[in-house]
Amino acid sequence: MIILITGASHVGKTVLAQKMLEKYKYPYLSIDHVKMGLIRSGNTALTPEDDDELTEYLWPIVREMVKTAIENQQNLIIEGCYIPFDWRKDFDEKYLQSIRFICLAMSDEYINTHFADIKGHASDVEARLDDSDCTIVRLQEDNHKIIEGFRKSGEKITLIDDDYEKVTGEIF
């Protein structure tokens, strides 16, 4: 089983992946780690701020890792922002049967009400070196983009609008 976890920044993708690792004992791969490895090694001129270009650059690599894991009957959790809205077009039914897709998003009300908590949990699993660009407006814009894009592609969104622990606990 491959579990793809995506969503906007700060929605708890990495925390969810860590919880799933602990429960299911599946390894997980952070697409951010792949991104930073390629950037720091000089294998791309892209920067961490080049989100759309990074999706185009990283997805073919991640996509083929997913296929390889499925072909080898391996379990893997992959989490990150760099999964395109139309990701399903890259897999035939043989692969899709082995992929579980989870998209996390936060409502505006949740962001407004819990912004301090969101910022407070930003480094729960991985240390964020610079979180100064995380604002209420930016979080809302990012979540709107994710919700709109994945809904247009027919994907189910797990909307966090009240209690993060309760909502994510229902996922698994």
Side-chain angles (χ1 to χ4, degrees):
M1 172 65 60
I2 305 300
I3 302 171
L4 294 177
I5 303 172
T6 195
S9 180
H10 290 78
V11 295
K13 298 178 298 295
T14 307
V15 169
L16 179 60
Q18 181 68 35
K19 287 179 180 182
M20 292 180 122
L21 171 141
E22 292 167 6
K23 180 174 181 172
Y24 299 117
K25 308 300 185 220
Y26 292 1
Y28 86 80
L29 171 75
S30 167
I31 301 173
D32 278 341
H33 290 176
V34 175
K35 169 189 78 176
M36 292 310 298
L38 291 165
I39 289 171
R40 288 180 173 174
S41 68
N43 281 289
T44 181
L46 295 171
T47 70
E49 289 78 37
D50 297 325
D51 284 338
D52 291 337
E53 295 89 348
L54 281 164
T55 298
E56 291 176 27
Y57 181 69
L58 293 168
W59 178 244
I61 298 165
V62 173
R63 176 192 69 217
E64 297 308 315
M65 292 171 74
V66 167
K67 289 178 181 177
T68 301
I70 292 170
E71 290 161 359
N72 287 297
Q73 299 177 338
Q74 295 170 315
N75 298 312
L76 182 61
I77 300 164
I78 299 176
E79 65 87 13
C81 300
Y82 306 105
I83 297 173
F85 300 133
D86 62 350
W87 68 273
R88 286 184 189 270
K89 73 173 177 43
D90 293 328
F91 299 98
D92 62 31
E93 190 55 37
K94 174 180 86 172
Y95 292 108
L96 289 171
Q97 291 175 5
S98 298
I99 300 172
R100 179 168 178 214
F101 178 77
I102 300 168
C103 180
L104 299 177
M106 295 176 179
S107 69
D108 286 351
E109 182 178 334
Y110 184 86
I111 294 167
N112 288 333
T113 306
H114 296 89
F115 183 68
D117 294 331
I118 294 166
K119 291 277 286 188
H121 289 287
S123 294
D124 279 0
V125 178
E126 297 176 335
R128 291 182 187 266
L129 299 178
D130 180 11
D131 204 26
S132 60
D133 65 340
C134 179
T135 65
I136 289 175
V137 171
R138 175 108 188 245
L139 285 179
Q140 289 174 337
E141 288 173 350
D142 289 350
N143 277 272
H144 291 176
K145 179 180 175 184
I146 291 297
I147 291 168
E148 181 180 323
F150 281 112
R151 280 199 176 142
K152 279 185 180 177
S153 291
E155 299 293 347
K156 178 184 172 202
I157 309 296
T158 300
L159 188 64
I160 301 162
D161 60 357
D162 181 31
D163 181 341
Y164 173 84
E165 295 296 330
K166 181 181 175 200
V167 171
T168 58
E170 292 171 356
I171 292 173
F172 63 102

